[in-house]
Amino acid sequence: MRKIYVAGHRGMVGAAILRQLQARQSAGEALMLITRTHSEMDLTDQAAVRAFMQSERPDVVILAAAKVGGIHANDTYPADFIYENLMIECNVIHQAFDAGVQHLLQLGSSCVYPRAVPQPMREEALLTGVLEPTNEPYAIAKIAGIKLCESYNRQHGVDYRSVMPTNLYGPGDNFHPENSHVLPALIRRFHEALRDGLDEVVIWGTGKPRREFLHVDDMAEASLFVLDLPRDIYMANTQPMQSHINVGCGKDISIAELAALVAETVGYSGRITQDASKPDGTMRKLMDVSRLTDMGWRAQIGLADGIKETYDWFLAQTNTELRSK
């Protein structure tokens, strides 16, 4: 029986990965799934993480825990983002190694790539240019996670892998009015505009930047696909000094087009205008997913269907919160 520890199982991605592992359990796969809530173990606490790893000694660690947020959150709390993410990665990866864990999967982010990198972004672009200033602290922490995995592989011969997802969305997303990513922020904004009868919704920036979006259930499937790859196949499709793999759908959409799609899904028919005084961030972020595609994995959930499912989940959560008050 394989013991698998999922760090960050209450987050959007961790929860999706846990659901898929539980489905494997139900189908008869011999798995023991280990989780801890933040109140049970603070991943920034080195002693706590060490005690946990020494006690549980999992066979596999999936590191989906991270402090995440949109442009506003990254720009407002840069110290929090770099400190907490560095501490989580250092503690989990090193203490996993110290407890004899041979297999680990670390989830990163597309923001690790330079601001002006050629599109679509290939894995080889890592560390070839200047990062996007608005999320540089978070990106540096995520780059450190990649290099931690590579360094432990090189020095100790373990099998620690990294996947770099594009922008993720889906059930379990953060819909906070200030600290969320663009897609859930738009869902909430258009929902509230429809509810309040507003004639206009203003979105940040020019609407011209293009972004790629991947449903979290696709991300979970891709993560387990990469984790399960035989080592020789994984290594044949990566490079010793760049052993991470991009995960995305290979298609992007402008923020203006995205806003129109969300408005249509929500049922909002008012004006959509742009506040060009607000930052756009990187003008285009599209992942080159040819490595993963060549190995046999493709995203299955279309953006329109995914947004509808996410909005339905948001409505269900909102109704539950209202009933509990």
Side-chain angles (χ1 to χ4, degrees), residues 123 146-147 149-150 153 160-163 234-235 238-245 291:
E123 287 89 349
I146 296 172
K147 293 303 176 183
C149 289
E150 291 175 356
N153 289 344
Y160 292 179
R161 307 177 181 185
S162 297
V163 284
Y234 176 79
M235 295 304 294
T238 60
Q239 299 180 33
M241 295 298 291
Q242 294 174 333
S243 62
H244 55 289
I245 293 179
R291 285 187 184 177

Side-chain angles (χ1 to χ4, degrees), residues 96-119:
F97 165 75
D98 213 38
V101 175
Q102 294 296 304
H103 303 284
L104 181 146
L105 182 74
Q106 187 240 169
L107 277 67
S109 167
S110 61
C111 72
V112 300
Y113 295 116
R115 175 186 175 94
V117 67
Q119 301 290 321

Side-chain angles (χ1 to χ4, degrees), residues 5 40 45 51 66 114 119 140 219 232 243 274 300:
Y5 167 49
E40 292 171 329
D45 183 336
Q119 301 290 321
I140 287 174
M219 179 60 200
D232 59 339
S243 62
Q274 289 81 35
Q300 298 298 313

